[in-house]
């Protein structure tokens, strides 16, 4: 009888519980380490250059010489980048201006972003958009690549801003503009898929009707 009383009836059960807790703790630590490792690898892979294969007009791969010293940006890419930036920065829209400006500033160098941010503040562009509830459509009439070097691309744009208002259905203005841009060539990454960033922007309005 005394022998049965002195037996540790719950020792094995308690020991199994401790072992289980230690195992789960170790498993959680390992999972956390795996997740951290995957995050680090993902961050590194995002900054890697994408594989770019140069092809001929017939679609056949071509051998690229001196590839380390060249940044390949084709004319169609330059035109597409130009149109995208102009529409984001100049296509003022009461319901989308905040998001459009945010995207446009991501396409600029830090120096250009600082200057254009000052331009928006000085000319109270956001206040104008809010007050008139503008809706602007961009029509590009001509895009000329005036110069293309290893470091940058010079572009001249002519077009029309068709400006209307959500607030006043009768309001409409055609703004004829000419813009000069300089695109700095940069390594292609997830953040800069075109391999270009706006480094200079100058707009001239020569007619409104």
């Amino acid at each position: 009888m005394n022998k049965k009383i002195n037996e540790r009836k719950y020792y094995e059960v308690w020991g199994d519980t401790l072992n289980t807790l230690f195992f789960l703790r170790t498993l959680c630590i390992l999972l956390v380490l795996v997740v951290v490792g995957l995050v680090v690898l993902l961050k590194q892979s995002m900054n890697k250059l994408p594989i770019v294969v140069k092809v001929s007009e017939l679609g056949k791969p071509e051998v690229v010489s001196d590839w380390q010293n060249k940044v390949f940006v084709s004319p169609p890419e330059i035109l597409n980048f130009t149109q995208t930036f102009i529409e984001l920065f100049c296509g003022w829209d009461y319901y989308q201006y905040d998001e459009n400006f945010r995207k446009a500033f991501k396409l600029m160098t830090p120096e250009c972003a600082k200057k254009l941010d000052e331009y928006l503040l000085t000319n109270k562009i956001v206040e104008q958009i809010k007050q008139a509830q503008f809706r602007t459509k961009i029509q590009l009439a001509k895009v000329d690549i005036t110069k293309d070097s290893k470091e940058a691309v010079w572009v001249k744009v002519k077009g029309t801003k068709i400006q209307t208002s959500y607030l006043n259905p009768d309001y409409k203005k055609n703004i004829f503009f000419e813009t000069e841009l300089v695109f700095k060539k940069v390594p292609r990454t997830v953040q800069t898929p075109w391999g270009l960033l706006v480094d200079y922007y100058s707009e001239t309005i020569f007619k409104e009707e």
Side-chain angles (χ1 to χ4, degrees):
M1 183 70 178
N2 292 331
K3 183 178 179 180
K4 291 184 179 180
I5 295 175
N6 293 330
E7 286 181 352
R8 294 177 292 182
K9 299 180 179 179
Y10 305 103
Y11 176 79
E12 292 183 0
V13 176
W14 176 246
D16 289 344
T17 303
L18 285 177
N19 290 335
T20 302
L21 289 175
F22 289 146
F23 171 76
L24 292 176
R25 184 183 66 178
T26 304
L27 182 61
C28 289
I29 293 174
L30 291 175
L31 289 175
V32 170
L33 292 176
V34 170
V35 171
V36 171
L38 290 175
V39 171
V40 172
L41 291 175
L42 179 61
K43 187 175 181 180
Q44 290 179 347
S45 65
M46 289 178 65
N47 294 324
K48 287 185 178 180
L49 294 175
I51 298 175
V52 179
V53 179
K54 186 179 180 182
V55 297
S56 66
E57 294 180 356
L58 299 177
K60 293 183 178 180
E62 293 182 349
V63 177
V64 178
S65 60
D66 195 23
W67 61 272
Q68 289 181 324
N69 297 322
K70 295 182 180 179
V71 180
F72 296 103
V73 185
S74 66
E77 288 178 304
I78 296 172
L79 297 178
N80 182 261
F81 181 79
T82 302
Q83 183 175 359
T84 299
F85 176 77
I86 293 293
E87 289 179 349
L88 288 173
F89 191 71
C90 301
W92 302 344
D93 188 285
Y94 176 68
Y95 293 105
Q96 296 180 340
Y97 72 88
D98 189 56
E99 179 69 11
N100 287 348
F101 281 144
R102 186 183 65 81
K103 291 180 179 179
F105 276 94
K106 287 185 177 181
L107 302 180
M108 307 177 196
T109 62
E111 297 79 10
C112 183
K114 183 179 179 180
K115 292 179 181 179
L116 291 183
D117 186 46
E118 293 175 354
Y119 163 79
L120 295 179
L121 292 174
T122 302
N123 293 276
K124 299 182 178 180
I125 301 299
V126 173
E127 287 80 355
Q128 293 181 40
I129 297 173
K130 290 181 178 179
Q131 184 176 0
Q133 296 190 13
F134 285 137
R135 180 182 182 184
T136 308
K137 182 179 180 182
I138 304 294
Q139 288 186 349
L140 300 184
K142 191 175 183 181
V143 179
D144 289 328
I145 301 173
T146 58
K147 184 179 178 181
D148 189 355
S149 70
K150 291 182 179 180
E151 293 78 24
V153 181
W154 285 256
V155 177
K156 183 175 289 187
V157 180
K158 291 184 179 181
T160 307
K161 301 177 185 179
I162 304 174
Q163 197 172 77
T164 56
S165 172
Y166 291 103
L167 189 64
N168 182 7
D170 297 326
Y171 173 82
K172 184 178 181 180
K173 180 187 288 187
N174 293 326
I175 304 171
F176 300 90
F177 68 94
E178 181 175 290
T179 302
E180 293 183 2
L181 302 125
V182 178
F183 302 145
K184 182 180 180 181
K185 292 184 177 179
V186 296
R188 295 178 189 264
T189 65
V190 174
Q191 291 76 24
T192 56
W194 281 285
L196 298 169
L197 286 175
V198 180
D199 197 41
Y200 174 81
Y201 171 91
S202 177
E203 181 187 75
T204 302
I205 304 296
F206 58 87
K207 186 179 180 182
E208 293 184 1
E209 62 180 27

